[in-house]
Amino acid sequence: MDPSKSTSNSQANILPSTYDPTNIDSPGFDPETYVTKLLRESRLAQLIDKEQLLTKQIKTLDNEMQTLVYENYNKFISATDTIRQMKKDFKTMEDEMTRLISTMSTINSNNHQIHLTLDNRRQEIRKLTSIHVLLQKLQYLFQLPAKLKEYADDNQYDLAVNTYTKALKALQKYEHIPSFNHIQQTCKETMTNIRDELKSRIDQQQTSSSNVVKLLLQLGESSDYLAQQYLSQNKLRLEHPLELMKQQLIVVESQLGSLSSSVTISNVVAQQMHPMDILEFVDTSYNSYMKNLHEFVESYELLFIRNPSNIPSSPSIEDEYKERCKHYLENFLLELYSAYIKFIHDLFQSKYYGQDDDIQLYVRAIDRFLRRSSSDIYKYLFTQHALEKMRSMLDAFLKFAIECRLKFYHSRIDRHFHDQIIELRKSLTIIQTNEQIQSSSDHQPSQLNLSQCVDKMLKQLTNDIKSTFQNLSKFLDGTELVCYAGKKNVFMKQFATNHVWNGFFLTLLERLITYFEHEYTTASNHSTMIRHEQSSPPILLLILSKLILDFDSSSTPYLCTVFEEKFHFILENNQRSDNQKSGSSSFSIDRSKLIAVQKQFSVIAKQLLKQYICSQGFTLSQMLRKSIETRDWLNTVEPRHVRSVMKRIIEDLTQIDKQVKTLYNDQQSPAPLSSSYGRYYHRSNLVSGGARSSDGGRRTIIMPRSSALDRATSGGPGSSAGSTGNLQLNFHKVFNEKLDIFIDLQFQKTSILSSIIKLLLKTYLECIRLKTFSRYGLQQVQVDINYLYNYLWSFVNNDDRFITNLLEEIVSSTAMRCLDPVLMEASVITVICEGN
Amino acid sequence: MVDDDEAPLIYGVEFQARALCAVSGVPDDDTVRFLVGTQSIKFENQVHFLEYDEESGSLGKSIYAHRAGEIWRMTSSPNDHRHFATVYQTIEDTNVVSKCTVWQIPIDATNDQSNSLTIDDSSNQLHQPLRKKFDLNVPNSNIIDVEWEINGERIGTISETNVYIWNVEQHDSPQILSTGSIDSKSGASHKLSCCRWNPHISTNQLATSLGPHIRAWDLRTMKCSFSIDNAHLPYVRDIDYNPNRQYHLMTCGDDFRVKFWDVRKPNECLKILTDHSHWVWSARYNHFHDQLIVTSSSDTRVILFNIASLSSEPYGSLNVSDDAKEEVEEIVNEDRLVRIFDEHEESVYSAQWASNDPWLLASLSYDGRLILNRVPKNEKFQILLRCPT
């Protein structure tokens, strides 16, 4: 009790609630503490009550314990009884088991005995059955020849072949036995008959079914021969659709002809007759033709390549056969394909389809064709060689198709352009006749026309080229097309550089140049017929030169940017390309070729302009020349008027001036503002001519150089004036630049007009030098020259130094050629000139 | 040295001048001679007889008075270097009359006496007058051009409407052998202006220019043997026969062009040169190397061409031995402009080859400046290398 007491104490200390030593039911109950507590806390009466209660409780507890012990004891006794009963039962069971074992062993031994007795019989039966089967087989063999013959007679070749191939092994096995050998022989005979029959069928019939070939193959016919035969016989059949398509194409073409020729056909009929578009055509032709072909190839492969050969032979030989068959097939396919591609070539070149305007369809047709065939060839072609051949064929086709298109566009643009030129010519003749009717009233409408004409033609040409670029760029949209040609970039680059840039654009420009060179300039050194020279009216030349100039300066750069946009290219100059080659990701084309072409353009424009100047100058000169040549200058009266030809010349010049002004402006060179003022400036200052003021002031009257007069007046041979005059005569030339009519001709009104005037005056000079003049002749020339002088300078924008020089030269020359050189007075000249 | 050789020799005549002709060579004499005639209304006209000695590079001159009038054309006798014909104009009764006379240079040019007379032209001394041989005039017609037959037996002259062929073997009395006249229809609108004697077909053909057309006369029948219509609008200025190719002809005119023709195909011209910028007044074949052509124009320029493609000389490579030569030959094969002589300041109305030096040419401008030029050395050597002889 002590240790428990101590523990309970300690426990009570730690856990006073649960191990309350005062609680009688708690495990830490301490009777001492309990009692002490009771004694301490309770009163006597309570204590007595407590004692009584406790005693009562102890008594009940004792009773309960006694009943428990008794019950358990009873249970133990019944258990012991049960165990004893069980022991007795087990013993009987064991006895029954031993008896079962003994009966089983007897059954076993009996069984064994029965088995032994039955075994002999069974073996016998087995033997008998096998003999029976063998006999049946033999019978089949013996019947075989007859059966085969029967089949052969009934044309059931496939059955015959099947039975034969089944029996063949057995026959070969028992070959050494004579009777079997005989059977085999007869069978073989029948089969060779069949084979011959089949072969003859194959050879004779146009179409051989794959069945027959299969049978023959099974009969061991050489696959070489068969394959070739098969291919050659199917070729015609396969090419048939192609023929049909070709005919269709021809029909379409002829229809096109009839359609265009007979306008009377109503729209409905035309609609009905409307043939397929190119895409459809390609599709259907491909379907009909290629499907057949591919079905055929399928069957061929089944027959010759996938089918294991029946003839026992070494695998290597078999492989060889197959290879050969494949080879035949490939060649065959290539042949057919090339025929087809040829047809497609024709199609794209044909009038109807090749000239079709719809680029989208065109590109899609090409694309469709290429895509389908390129996917198909991988299926059916085996060797690298054939593939390459095929691809090169397709490549060539692609190129061809593109070139066809380019040609088409070329011809279209050419046509448009020529139409326009013809139209222009027509309208020009109309204008000219109108002008003649209207005479000198006002030419406003015709002038407006000129620049409009140029604009119109330029626009048309530019738009044509631009739309062609647009159309050509569609080639790049067909992604499959691009995929086919390998790397997208490579194709794009090739297409853009080779076809679009070189093949289309540059060629077009060059064609234009040669056209102009041929038609309108006589500068080409080839032998030219004479009629060419006067065939084109001068205005046309002027318009065309402006057209070329504008095309060169505005359209070409614009088209270049269009090209760059459409094809993602960058045009580069030579030097730049070196630097940028590494950096730039987009492609680039060297611009040098274009620059060369542009240079040619400006040369041509200049030539046309020259032509214009020559022809205008020529017409004016003719007028002047006639007027000088037909006049008797020795016997004229005193001049009273300016000759009418001079007025006429000024009028014509004014008209030319107007004409040129509508097309060429002087904006490059800053024209002095005073020019408009100067036009009406009256030169009234009277200076007795001769001395040319060196400060550049304008002379008012043109007079012959004093030297010329000296020479002319101071008579007498050997006079000193002769030599000094010569000196003076030449002296002025040191300061005058040489006259060159076409030197630095510019695309400006002033430059053009001064060239024309130079031509005119030079002619004047030369004509004068061929004549001899009297006094009045000289004076008449003086009047004319001064009249010209008053007007001419306004045409050339105040740059009239050369005019003064030339006019002076003319008067001097006239004085020299004058028998009696007496000059008219300057004031009189002015009066006469003013009077008109 | 090169510069020396290529530098032009310039000679001044004191009056205006149009007429220039080469004087045919004297056998065994290398001296190159030219005649220049002046054109002046007021003064006494002169004929300058120029002798160029290649050895010394000096130009000897003799001046003779041509009192008959101003000289428009002249041509020298192929047989005698002292004889020449001039076409000149004088005024008679307020009318211009154009005449033709054959002259003789009075004393042999080498004579000392003539030298003494001509030296002092500065001292206003008269020049010795020319000696008149005979006139070639027909009453009431103005002679426009004169041309000596290549063997010197006959002279052809033209008026505005007629062609006259003279027999001049008897030096004193020329006789008209035959005359031809253009039909009145074309005569109304155009006039004859220039004539050239065909050196081929036994010299029985004379080509004349009729306004813009070319008319050739068969001298046996005086009928038209060929005609080229509208060769140059509006005027043909000069004609020259290729000295070696029978049917080839060169013309030039007021359309600024030089054209080559085969007279068998008068509708089609073989080649056109368009390098001049004004009327082309003369065009001449070189007598020794007919690919060399010199033209002169009123644009003050004289141009030398090499037209190998129409030449009688072999065309294409001859000797393939030297690589260096082959390169040269490639260049040679093209027709090209060899050189522009631009020393003149005035219209050049005539340019002529020297008669006995294949590389020398003379040109005369209106202001009286005569310039002797040489074919550039490169060109000369190229031609010589290719020449078979």
mmCIF file of all heavy atoms in Angstrom, chain A residues 1 15 18 49 53 66 85 98 131 192 198 275 317 385 413 568 583 615 683 701 706 736 742:
data_model
loop_
_atom_site.group_PDB
_atom_site.id
_atom_site.type_symbol
_atom_site.label_atom_id
_atom_site.label_comp_id
_atom_site.label_asym_id
_atom_site.label_seq_id
_atom_site.Cartn_x
_atom_site.Cartn_y
_atom_site.Cartn_z
ATOM 1 N N MET A 1 0.836 -1.233 0.000
ATOM 2 C CA MET A 1 0.000 0.000 0.000
ATOM 3 C C MET A 1 0.854 1.260 0.000
ATOM 4 O O MET A 1 0.432 2.311 -0.463
ATOM 5 C CB MET A 1 -0.920 0.041 1.247
ATOM 6 C CG MET A 1 -2.252 -0.680 1.018
ATOM 7 S SD MET A 1 -3.012 -0.377 -0.500
ATOM 8 C CE MET A 1 -4.326 0.695 0.012
ATOM 9 N N LEU A 15 -2.205 15.857 -10.640
ATOM 10 C CA LEU A 15 -3.546 15.974 -11.243
ATOM 11 C C LEU A 15 -4.610 15.897 -10.159
ATOM 12 O O LEU A 15 -5.154 14.794 -9.858
ATOM 13 C CB LEU A 15 -3.771 14.839 -12.260
ATOM 14 C CG LEU A 15 -2.753 14.717 -13.397
ATOM 15 C CD1 LEU A 15 -2.825 13.310 -13.995
ATOM 16 C CD2 LEU A 15 -3.029 15.754 -14.447
ATOM 17 N N THR A 18 -8.356 14.353 -11.415
ATOM 18 C CA THR A 18 -8.592 12.946 -11.734
ATOM 19 C C THR A 18 -8.081 12.034 -10.642
ATOM 20 O O THR A 18 -8.685 10.991 -10.386
ATOM 21 C CB THR A 18 -7.917 12.568 -13.060
ATOM 22 O OG1 THR A 18 -6.608 13.057 -13.044
ATOM 23 C CG2 THR A 18 -8.678 13.124 -14.257
ATOM 24 N N ASP A 49 -23.910 8.607 9.126
ATOM 25 C CA ASP A 49 -24.608 8.302 7.844
ATOM 26 C C ASP A 49 -23.675 7.733 6.840
ATOM 27 O O ASP A 49 -23.976 6.721 6.168
ATOM 28 C CB ASP A 49 -25.259 9.576 7.294
ATOM 29 C CG ASP A 49 -26.520 9.960 8.061
ATOM 30 O OD1 ASP A 49 -27.007 9.123 8.873
ATOM 31 O OD2 ASP A 49 -26.955 11.098 7.854
ATOM 32 N N LEU A 53 -23.705 4.105 5.094
ATOM 33 C CA LEU A 53 -23.738 4.022 3.616
ATOM 34 C C LEU A 53 -22.634 3.144 3.129
ATOM 35 O O LEU A 53 -22.842 2.255 2.279
ATOM 36 C CB LEU A 53 -23.662 5.421 3.013
ATOM 37 C CG LEU A 53 -23.788 5.525 1.502
ATOM 38 C CD1 LEU A 53 -25.250 5.213 1.087
ATOM 39 C CD2 LEU A 53 -23.375 6.887 1.024
ATOM 40 N N GLN A 66 -19.409 -12.762 -5.461
ATOM 41 C CA GLN A 66 -19.693 -14.179 -5.276
ATOM 42 C C GLN A 66 -20.503 -14.736 -6.430
ATOM 43 O O GLN A 66 -20.162 -15.809 -6.963
ATOM 44 C CB GLN A 66 -20.468 -14.351 -3.950
ATOM 45 C CG GLN A 66 -19.521 -14.580 -2.826
ATOM 46 C CD GLN A 66 -20.266 -14.540 -1.464
ATOM 47 O OE1 GLN A 66 -21.526 -14.530 -1.391
ATOM 48 N NE2 GLN A 66 -19.529 -14.556 -0.332
ATOM 49 N N GLN A 85 -16.746 -34.955 -26.111
ATOM 50 C CA GLN A 85 -17.656 -35.427 -27.153
ATOM 51 C C GLN A 85 -17.015 -35.397 -28.524
ATOM 52 O O GLN A 85 -17.082 -36.378 -29.269
ATOM 53 C CB GLN A 85 -18.926 -34.526 -27.157
ATOM 54 C CG GLN A 85 -20.031 -35.027 -28.052
ATOM 55 C CD GLN A 85 -20.626 -36.340 -27.533
ATOM 56 O OE1 GLN A 85 -20.816 -36.546 -26.296
ATOM 57 N NE2 GLN A 85 -20.906 -37.305 -28.396
ATOM 58 N N THR A 98 -9.715 -44.316 -44.954
ATOM 59 C CA THR A 98 -8.818 -45.399 -45.380
ATOM 60 C C THR A 98 -9.530 -46.352 -46.304
ATOM 61 O O THR A 98 -8.961 -46.838 -47.285
ATOM 62 C CB THR A 98 -8.300 -46.176 -44.122
ATOM 63 O OG1 THR A 98 -9.371 -46.349 -43.261
ATOM 64 C CG2 THR A 98 -7.159 -45.444 -43.476
ATOM 65 N N ILE A 131 -3.716 -44.506 -96.162
ATOM 66 C CA ILE A 131 -3.681 -45.135 -97.490
ATOM 67 C C ILE A 131 -4.846 -44.630 -98.328
ATOM 68 O O ILE A 131 -4.686 -44.302 -99.513
ATOM 69 C CB ILE A 131 -3.731 -46.673 -97.333
ATOM 70 C CG1 ILE A 131 -2.383 -47.116 -96.785
ATOM 71 C CG2 ILE A 131 -4.026 -47.341 -98.668
ATOM 72 C CD1 ILE A 131 -2.402 -48.567 -96.354
ATOM 73 N N THR A 192 0.820 -26.079 -122.094
ATOM 74 C CA THR A 192 1.457 -25.272 -123.159
ATOM 75 C C THR A 192 0.428 -24.857 -124.190
ATOM 76 O O THR A 192 0.497 -23.738 -124.721
ATOM 77 C CB THR A 192 2.596 -26.054 -123.859
ATOM 78 O OG1 THR A 192 2.225 -27.404 -123.917
ATOM 79 C CG2 THR A 192 3.897 -25.859 -123.141
ATOM 80 N N LEU A 198 -3.375 -18.511 -124.811
ATOM 81 C CA LEU A 198 -3.423 -17.223 -124.110
ATOM 82 C C LEU A 198 -2.491 -16.207 -124.763
ATOM 83 O O LEU A 198 -2.823 -15.035 -124.948
ATOM 84 C CB LEU A 198 -3.015 -17.410 -122.641
ATOM 85 C CG LEU A 198 -4.051 -18.086 -121.773
ATOM 86 C CD1 LEU A 198 -3.485 -18.311 -120.382
ATOM 87 C CD2 LEU A 198 -5.314 -17.264 -121.680
ATOM 88 N N PRO A 275 -17.031 27.231 -123.835
ATOM 89 C CA PRO A 275 -16.286 26.060 -123.380
ATOM 90 C C PRO A 275 -15.757 26.254 -121.960
ATOM 91 O O PRO A 275 -15.896 27.299 -121.354
ATOM 92 C CB PRO A 275 -15.149 25.994 -124.385
ATOM 93 C CG PRO A 275 -14.989 27.369 -124.914
ATOM 94 C CD PRO A 275 -16.265 28.083 -124.713
ATOM 95 N N ILE A 317 17.607 -13.350 -108.876
ATOM 96 C CA ILE A 317 17.095 -13.278 -110.249
ATOM 97 C C ILE A 317 15.708 -12.646 -110.249
ATOM 98 O O ILE A 317 15.376 -11.796 -111.074
ATOM 99 C CB ILE A 317 17.035 -14.686 -110.867
ATOM 100 C CG1 ILE A 317 18.453 -15.149 -111.160
ATOM 101 C CG2 ILE A 317 16.194 -14.685 -112.143
ATOM 102 C CD1 ILE A 317 18.524 -16.562 -111.625
ATOM 103 N N HIS A 385 16.810 8.877 -111.277
ATOM 104 C CA HIS A 385 16.988 9.356 -112.640
ATOM 105 C C HIS A 385 15.659 9.787 -113.243
ATOM 106 O O HIS A 385 15.520 10.882 -113.781
ATOM 107 C CB HIS A 385 17.612 8.243 -113.474
ATOM 108 C CG HIS A 385 17.689 8.554 -114.919
ATOM 109 N ND1 HIS A 385 18.496 9.540 -115.427
ATOM 110 C CD2 HIS A 385 17.009 8.039 -115.975
ATOM 111 C CE1 HIS A 385 18.331 9.596 -116.722
ATOM 112 N NE2 HIS A 385 17.429 8.710 -117.091
ATOM 113 N N ILE A 413 0.408 44.686 -124.823
ATOM 114 C CA ILE A 413 0.849 46.075 -124.634
ATOM 115 C C ILE A 413 1.232 46.687 -125.967
ATOM 116 O O ILE A 413 0.880 47.824 -126.276
ATOM 117 C CB ILE A 413 2.018 46.128 -123.639
ATOM 118 C CG1 ILE A 413 1.493 45.770 -122.263
ATOM 119 C CG2 ILE A 413 2.643 47.495 -123.635
ATOM 120 C CD1 ILE A 413 2.556 45.691 -121.230
ATOM 121 N N HIS A 568 8.765 42.327 -103.690
ATOM 122 C CA HIS A 568 9.649 42.469 -102.537
ATOM 123 C C HIS A 568 11.102 42.496 -102.946
ATOM 124 O O HIS A 568 11.939 41.784 -102.425
ATOM 125 C CB HIS A 568 9.404 41.338 -101.549
ATOM 126 C CG HIS A 568 7.968 41.127 -101.289
ATOM 127 N ND1 HIS A 568 7.191 42.045 -100.643
ATOM 128 C CD2 HIS A 568 7.145 40.113 -101.631
ATOM 129 C CE1 HIS A 568 5.955 41.602 -100.583
ATOM 130 N NE2 HIS A 568 5.885 40.439 -101.183
ATOM 131 N N GLY A 583 23.983 42.526 -95.599
ATOM 132 C CA GLY A 583 22.972 42.919 -94.625
ATOM 133 C C GLY A 583 21.539 42.689 -95.053
ATOM 134 O O GLY A 583 20.722 42.245 -94.268
ATOM 135 N N SER A 615 12.459 68.802 -139.301
ATOM 136 C CA SER A 615 11.361 68.835 -140.245
ATOM 137 C C SER A 615 10.647 70.178 -140.207
ATOM 138 O O SER A 615 10.239 70.698 -141.241
ATOM 139 C CB SER A 615 10.409 67.668 -139.999
ATOM 140 O OG SER A 615 9.320 68.078 -139.250
ATOM 141 N N ARG A 683 11.533 98.722 -129.840
ATOM 142 C CA ARG A 683 12.914 99.181 -130.005
ATOM 143 C C ARG A 683 12.899 100.439 -130.836
ATOM 144 O O ARG A 683 12.978 100.404 -132.052
ATOM 145 C CB ARG A 683 13.715 98.136 -130.747
ATOM 146 C CG ARG A 683 13.660 96.775 -130.141
ATOM 147 C CD ARG A 683 14.027 95.809 -131.227
ATOM 148 N NE ARG A 683 13.614 94.471 -130.858
ATOM 149 C CZ ARG A 683 14.467 93.552 -130.474
ATOM 150 N NH1 ARG A 683 15.734 93.822 -130.394
ATOM 151 N NH2 ARG A 683 14.044 92.367 -130.178
ATOM 152 N N ILE A 701 19.035 98.000 -134.520
ATOM 153 C CA ILE A 701 18.951 97.786 -135.955
ATOM 154 C C ILE A 701 20.132 96.931 -136.364
ATOM 155 O O ILE A 701 21.247 97.145 -135.930
ATOM 156 C CB ILE A 701 19.011 99.133 -136.713
ATOM 157 C CG1 ILE A 701 17.747 99.932 -136.453
ATOM 158 C CG2 ILE A 701 19.207 98.918 -138.189
ATOM 159 C CD1 ILE A 701 16.530 99.393 -137.121
ATOM 160 N N SER A 706 31.016 96.766 -140.520
ATOM 161 C CA SER A 706 31.682 97.824 -141.264
ATOM 162 C C SER A 706 32.726 97.257 -142.210
ATOM 163 O O SER A 706 32.909 97.751 -143.314
ATOM 164 C CB SER A 706 32.331 98.792 -140.279
ATOM 165 O OG SER A 706 33.132 98.066 -139.379
ATOM 166 N N ASN A 736 32.722 85.259 -131.399
ATOM 167 C CA ASN A 736 31.457 84.532 -131.545
ATOM 168 C C ASN A 736 31.709 83.030 -131.499
ATOM 169 O O ASN A 736 32.573 82.525 -132.195
ATOM 170 C CB ASN A 736 30.810 84.864 -132.885
ATOM 171 C CG ASN A 736 30.405 86.307 -132.923
ATOM 172 O OD1 ASN A 736 30.334 86.965 -131.889
ATOM 173 N ND2 ASN A 736 30.174 86.806 -134.123
ATOM 174 N N PHE A 742 22.682 71.816 -133.228
ATOM 175 C CA PHE A 742 22.142 70.876 -132.245
ATOM 176 C C PHE A 742 22.978 70.812 -130.973
ATOM 177 O O PHE A 742 22.825 69.903 -130.185
ATOM 178 C CB PHE A 742 22.038 69.486 -132.851
ATOM 179 C CG PHE A 742 21.097 69.465 -134.002
ATOM 180 C CD1 PHE A 742 21.534 69.144 -135.268
ATOM 181 C CD2 PHE A 742 19.771 69.784 -133.813
ATOM 182 C CE1 PHE A 742 20.656 69.137 -136.326
ATOM 183 C CE2 PHE A 742 18.894 69.772 -134.871
ATOM 184 C CZ PHE A 742 19.333 69.449 -136.128
#
